[in-house]
Amino acid sequence: MSIAVIDYGAGNLHSVRKALELASNLTGVNGPVVVTDDPERVAAADHVILPGDGAFADCRAHLDAVPGMIEAIGEAVDRRGRPFLGICVGMQLLATRGIEYGATPGLGRIAGEVRPVEPSDGRLKVPHMGWNTLQAGRSHPLLDDIPLGPEGWHAYFLHGYQLYPEDPADVVASADYGGPVTAIVATGNLAGTQFHPEKSQKLGIALLANFLKWKP
């Protein structure tokens, strides 16, 4: 099994790779984790991860600047049906569009818009930064054996924008930050986390292990 982390100049590539290697060893998958900007390796991978840090528009521009990468994602996701995971802005890029620094088209994989986090409590600061538990919106293999709810495990968030999906069924889990914050989305063989699993300790490793075992 091959695991490709897309390198397009955005994201915690080293941390993501190390977390995936740990998850791979725990599951017995033991597949090589490759950080790559080679579209052929992405298209041929068994699992594909799109990390992301920074502004939506900048990340989309960086992704577009890698020749053949958008097409490689389509090959992996659509033609080969491989599991795909977006992390932070990598998850946001799955949306129809983002409005950070002007309207920018996303990858159009999940109908919805990326807009600012707007907590109802004015004392809560934006960006949303810190540890939060998750509340399930629906069941999904990514959440297998992960304790949720107020007494559950914590995920690490750092973001000022969030994805607002048009279809509530696309929301697998949310966090509470003066109102619901989209934490995990999924449709078909695509999924995304607003939080950083590579920084979320046991929850993050468990989720990545579930991703590597996922057979959509």
Side-chain angles (χ1 to χ4, degrees):
M1 176 184 292
S2 59
I3 305 161
V5 180
I6 299 175
D7 179 3
Y8 63 111
N12 301 308
L13 299 176
H14 176 72
S15 297
V16 171
R17 178 176 62 81
K18 297 299 288 185
L20 283 164
E21 288 174 345
L22 179 56
S24 176
N25 291 334
L26 288 174
T27 60
V29 170
N30 294 320
V33 180
V34 179
V35 176
T36 181
D37 61 359
D38 182 348
E40 292 186 2
R41 300 191 77 170
V42 170
D46 296 302
H47 288 75
V48 179
I49 296 91
L50 179 67
D53 274 326
F56 185 102
D58 290 342
C59 287
R60 179 62 205 253
H62 287 313
L63 188 60
D64 287 339
V66 182
M69 190 57 76
I70 299 295
E71 293 78 9
I73 292 172
E75 172 73 17
V77 171
D78 299 325
R79 292 197 57 206
R80 303 187 71 232
R82 299 311 191 196
F84 179 97
L85 179 68
I87 295 174
C88 196
V89 181
M91 173 261 232
Q92 295 178 3
L93 287 172
L94 298 176
T96 307
R97 70 171 189 165
I99 63 168
E100 190 174 4
Y101 303 122
T104 302
L107 297 175
R109 298 286 179 166
I110 293 181
E113 190 171 73
V114 177
R115 304 194 302 269
V117 175
E118 297 180 342
S120 59
D121 186 342
R123 295 170 297 179
L124 295 175
K125 295 181 179 180
V126 177
H128 167 214
M129 178 175 65
W131 296 85
N132 294 79
T133 56
L134 305 179
Q135 295 78 46
R138 60 180 174 89
S139 61
H140 192 278
L142 289 184
L143 294 177
D144 286 353
D145 299 319
I146 295 179
L148 304 175
E151 304 303 318
W153 292 349
H154 288 71
Y156 180 76
F157 290 80
L158 176 56
H159 64 116
Y161 286 73
Q162 68 159 315
L163 172 54
Y164 295 85
E166 292 181 7
D167 185 351
D170 289 336
V171 180
V172 170
S174 61
D176 181 17
Y177 193 70
V181 170
T182 302
I184 303 175
V185 294
T187 181
N189 57 320
L190 293 109
T193 66
Q194 180 59 69
F195 58 89
H196 289 271
E198 75 278 10
K199 296 183 178 180
S200 296
Q201 299 179 1
K202 59 184 178 181
L203 184 150
I205 298 302
L207 184 138
L208 291 175
N210 286 339
F211 172 68
L212 296 179
K213 293 183 292 184
W214 185 29
K215 297 179 180 179

